[in-house]
Structure formats: C-alpha cells, structure tokens
Amino acid sequence: MEVQERRVQTDRVLTIPNMLSMARLVGVPVFLWLILWPEFGGPKNDGWALLILAFSGVSDYLDGKLARRWGQISRLGQLLDPLADRLYIFSTLLGLTWRGILPWWLTAVLVARDVFISGLLPILNRHGYGPLQVSFLGKAATFNLMYAFPLLLLGQGHGWIHSTAAVVSWAFIGWGTVLYWWAAILYAMQTRQIVKGTVTSG
C-alpha cells in the first residue's frame, strides 16, 4: 500500500474519501454487535460481520487512493484514516478473542504495540510535534491484519474453503504482527531522532 501523503490539498470535509472513512467508522459498532451477539444468546451473523470487515479492507485502500488521485487529501482524512484502522483492529481483536477464535496472547501482543506507540505521543508533544505520519510499513502491517481477520472468521467452518481460509489467515496474521511491531520500532527510532534534533538545536 502507498504511504499516506503529508501535504493537505483541500479543506473540504464532504469528499468521497472522507465519506468512505466515515462509513468505516460507522461500521465498527455494527461489526461488534454482529460478532458478539451469539455470546449474549442471539443468532450467529458471521456472514454479515465478514462483509463489514471486507468492506473496511477495501475502503481502507480506496479512500487513500482516491484522495491522492483526485487531489482530495485533507487534514480530516489524515486523521480519520488511521483512526478507523485502529478502531477496526481493536474491535476485531475484542470480538474474535471474546468468541475464542483468536488466542488471548496474540491479542495482548497486538494491543501492547498500540500501548507502546501511545507512550511515544506525549514525548512528541513535549517537543512540539503531533503524531507522526503513517509509514508504508505501518500501512502494510494494517493491510495484512485487515485481510487476515475476515479470512480467520471465514475459517470457522468445515470444508476445504474454510480450511484454506484458516491457513491463509494465519499467514497474514504472522506477517502482519511482525510488520506491526517493526513499524512501531521504526516509529520509536524516528521519535528519538526528532527529540535529539530538538535538544541539539535548542
């Protein structure tokens, strides 16, 4: 996936890329309700939950692609896109772990990465910087995880399609987890360089 561009090209709010990001955000609570309903005595709606996850993955690609192609990169879009990514990953981890589909230790590893990144933000703020832009590696990690989770959900069944989906999903999860932490380490290194540069210039 292409790295998010830094330059803001428009101040418009109602652009197609922004509307796609907003739709992804609206889908988060709907997905959680669908995936957790069986735990509270409701019917299984894994098919609909799978469609929402698939939409989130496709729209994650399209909103950035269209924003660059149509000159509609906005500050709002730069905030909404990573926010939607984080919320979908968190809600999927919560839902699949609660259902027993995803092991708790893997959830802990992925959540620990976001806690680690969050710990760097106050350091950046103290030196006059906001959150750093999403890197290519970070987007690649998110891409792997966003496509792994629907396949993992699809793998909860019998037959060759489900078995194949389960194998492929764990391959995506493995690569995604490694890249997720690799991107976090590079983020920390970039933060360190910024802090050293600020201290030196000061």
Side-chain angles (χ1 to χ4, degrees):
M1 298 183 73
E2 296 176 61
V3 66
Q4 187 177 22
E5 188 172 323
R6 294 175 182 270
R7 183 167 57 89
V8 174
Q9 297 174 331
T10 179
D11 293 326
R12 291 170 55 198
V13 172
L14 294 179
T15 64
I16 291 179
N18 285 352
M19 291 174 70
L20 283 172
S21 295
M22 292 175 190
R24 289 169 63 208
L25 287 171
V26 170
V28 170
V30 178
F31 166 77
L32 263 181
W33 173 67
L34 290 171
I35 200 71
L36 291 178
W37 203 7
E39 297 296 307
F40 297 94
K44 275 193 176 183
N45 288 285
D46 289 355
W48 287 107
L50 184 62
L51 286 176
I52 291 176
L53 277 183
F55 167 77
S56 72
V58 172
S59 63
D60 181 38
Y61 170 78
L62 282 179
D63 59 12
K65 191 75 171 178
L66 294 178
R68 286 185 290 271
R69 177 170 294 181
W70 294 345
Q72 293 182 350
I73 296 172
S74 65
R75 182 57 184 158
L76 178 62
Q78 290 177 333
L79 294 172
L80 287 179
D81 185 42
L83 175 62
D85 288 346
R86 298 284 77 74
L87 287 177
Y88 260 107
I89 289 176
F90 177 77
S91 64
T92 306
L93 289 174
L94 174 63
L96 296 182
T97 304
W98 197 324
R99 285 271 301 271
I101 297 172
L102 202 64
W104 68 267
W105 60 265
L106 179 59
T107 301
V109 168
L110 294 172
V111 170
R113 184 267 191 190
D114 282 337
V115 172
F116 174 72
I117 290 291
S118 298
L120 298 174
L121 297 180
I123 299 174
L124 288 167
N125 287 335
R126 282 200 301 270
H127 290 83
Y129 287 85
L132 302 179
Q133 292 293 318
V134 179
S135 67
F136 173 84
L137 197 62
K139 292 297 287 183
T142 302
F143 172 85
N144 275 271
L145 294 174
M146 292 293 286
Y147 281 85
F149 294 140
L151 289 170
L152 186 62
L153 192 56
L154 180 61
Q156 303 305 301
H158 302 288
W160 70 269
I161 293 179
H162 299 287
S163 300
T164 303
V167 171
V168 174
S169 70
W170 280 107
F172 270 109
I173 288 172
W175 275 109
T177 302
V178 171
L179 293 177
Y180 209 48
W181 266 102
W182 189 2
I185 292 170
L186 293 180
Y187 194 100
M189 292 172 63
Q190 189 176 356
T191 300
R192 182 172 179 271
Q193 290 173 352
I194 289 172
V195 170
K196 285 181 64 178
T198 303
V199 172
T200 301
S201 62

Short mmCIF file of all heavy atoms in Angstrom, two decimals, residues 151-167:
data_model
loop_
_atom_site.label_atom_id
_atom_site.label_comp_id
_atom_site.label_asym_id
_atom_site.label_seq_id
_atom_site.Cartn_x
_atom_site.Cartn_y
_atom_site.Cartn_z
N LEU A 151 -10.59 -13.48 6.87
CA LEU A 151 -10.27 -14.85 6.49
C LEU A 151 -10.31 -15.77 7.71
O LEU A 151 -10.74 -16.92 7.61
CB LEU A 151 -8.89 -14.91 5.83
CG LEU A 151 -8.79 -14.31 4.43
CD1 LEU A 151 -7.33 -14.22 3.99
CD2 LEU A 151 -9.59 -15.15 3.43
N LEU A 152 -9.88 -15.26 8.86
CA LEU A 152 -9.93 -16.05 10.09
C LEU A 152 -11.38 -16.36 10.46
O LEU A 152 -11.70 -17.48 10.88
CB LEU A 152 -9.25 -15.29 11.22
CG LEU A 152 -9.10 -16.04 12.55
CD1 LEU A 152 -8.24 -17.28 12.39
CD2 LEU A 152 -8.51 -15.11 13.61
N LEU A 153 -12.24 -15.37 10.28
CA LEU A 153 -13.67 -15.58 10.56
C LEU A 153 -14.26 -16.58 9.57
O LEU A 153 -15.06 -17.44 9.95
CB LEU A 153 -14.40 -14.24 10.48
CG LEU A 153 -15.84 -14.19 11.01
CD1 LEU A 153 -15.91 -14.65 12.47
CD2 LEU A 153 -16.39 -12.77 10.87
N LEU A 154 -13.87 -16.46 8.31
CA LEU A 154 -14.34 -17.40 7.29
C LEU A 154 -13.84 -18.81 7.58
O LEU A 154 -14.50 -19.79 7.24
CB LEU A 154 -13.85 -16.95 5.91
CG LEU A 154 -14.25 -17.81 4.71
CD1 LEU A 154 -15.78 -17.87 4.56
CD2 LEU A 154 -13.61 -17.27 3.43
N GLY A 155 -12.69 -18.92 8.22
CA GLY A 155 -12.12 -20.22 8.52
C GLY A 155 -12.84 -20.99 9.61
O GLY A 155 -12.49 -22.15 9.87
N GLN A 156 -13.83 -20.37 10.25
CA GLN A 156 -14.58 -21.05 11.31
C GLN A 156 -15.70 -21.90 10.71
O GLN A 156 -16.87 -21.57 10.76
CB GLN A 156 -15.17 -20.01 12.29
CG GLN A 156 -14.15 -19.10 12.91
CD GLN A 156 -13.04 -19.88 13.60
OE1 GLN A 156 -13.30 -20.65 14.52
NE2 GLN A 156 -11.81 -19.65 13.17
N GLY A 157 -15.32 -22.99 10.09
CA GLY A 157 -16.30 -23.88 9.49
C GLY A 157 -15.64 -25.15 9.01
O GLY A 157 -14.46 -25.40 9.30
N HIS A 158 -16.39 -25.96 8.29
CA HIS A 158 -15.87 -27.23 7.78
C HIS A 158 -15.85 -27.19 6.26
O HIS A 158 -16.68 -26.56 5.63
CB HIS A 158 -16.74 -28.39 8.28
CG HIS A 158 -16.83 -28.47 9.78
ND1 HIS A 158 -15.79 -28.87 10.57
CD2 HIS A 158 -17.85 -28.16 10.62
CE1 HIS A 158 -16.16 -28.84 11.84
NE2 HIS A 158 -17.41 -28.40 11.90
N GLY A 159 -14.90 -27.89 5.68
CA GLY A 159 -14.77 -27.90 4.23
C GLY A 159 -13.46 -27.26 3.80
O GLY A 159 -12.80 -26.56 4.58
N TRP A 160 -13.10 -27.50 2.55
CA TRP A 160 -11.79 -27.03 2.08
C TRP A 160 -11.70 -25.52 2.01
O TRP A 160 -10.61 -24.96 2.23
CB TRP A 160 -11.48 -27.67 0.72
CG TRP A 160 -12.32 -27.15 -0.41
CD1 TRP A 160 -13.51 -27.66 -0.85
CD2 TRP A 160 -12.03 -26.04 -1.24
NE1 TRP A 160 -14.00 -26.93 -1.90
CE2 TRP A 160 -13.10 -25.93 -2.17
CE3 TRP A 160 -10.98 -25.12 -1.31
CZ2 TRP A 160 -13.15 -24.94 -3.15
CZ3 TRP A 160 -11.03 -24.12 -2.27
CH2 TRP A 160 -12.09 -24.04 -3.17
N ILE A 161 -12.81 -24.85 1.72
CA ILE A 161 -12.78 -23.39 1.66
C ILE A 161 -12.43 -22.82 3.03
O ILE A 161 -11.57 -21.92 3.16
CB ILE A 161 -14.13 -22.83 1.17
CG1 ILE A 161 -14.36 -23.22 -0.30
CG2 ILE A 161 -14.16 -21.31 1.33
CD1 ILE A 161 -15.67 -22.74 -0.86
N HIS A 162 -13.07 -23.33 4.06
CA HIS A 162 -12.82 -22.84 5.42
C HIS A 162 -11.41 -23.19 5.88
O HIS A 162 -10.74 -22.37 6.52
CB HIS A 162 -13.86 -23.44 6.37
CG HIS A 162 -15.27 -23.07 6.04
ND1 HIS A 162 -15.78 -21.81 6.26
CD2 HIS A 162 -16.27 -23.79 5.48
CE1 HIS A 162 -17.05 -21.77 5.87
NE2 HIS A 162 -17.36 -22.97 5.39
N SER A 163 -10.96 -24.41 5.54
CA SER A 163 -9.61 -24.83 5.93
C SER A 163 -8.55 -23.96 5.25
O SER A 163 -7.57 -23.54 5.88
CB SER A 163 -9.38 -26.30 5.57
OG SER A 163 -10.30 -27.13 6.23
N THR A 164 -8.75 -23.70 3.95
CA THR A 164 -7.81 -22.86 3.22
C THR A 164 -7.78 -21.44 3.78
O THR A 164 -6.72 -20.84 3.96
CB THR A 164 -8.17 -22.82 1.72
OG1 THR A 164 -8.18 -24.15 1.21
CG2 THR A 164 -7.18 -21.97 0.94
N ALA A 165 -8.98 -20.91 4.08
CA ALA A 165 -9.07 -19.55 4.63
C ALA A 165 -8.35 -19.46 5.97
O ALA A 165 -7.66 -18.47 6.25
CB ALA A 165 -10.53 -19.15 4.80
N ALA A 166 -8.46 -20.51 6.79
CA ALA A 166 -7.80 -20.51 8.09
C ALA A 166 -6.29 -20.48 7.95
O ALA A 166 -5.59 -19.72 8.64
CB ALA A 166 -8.23 -21.74 8.89
N VAL A 167 -5.74 -21.28 7.02
CA VAL A 167 -4.30 -21.33 6.81
C VAL A 167 -3.78 -19.97 6.30
O VAL A 167 -2.79 -19.44 6.81
CB VAL A 167 -3.92 -22.45 5.81
CG1 VAL A 167 -2.46 -22.36 5.43
CG2 VAL A 167 -4.23 -23.82 6.41
#
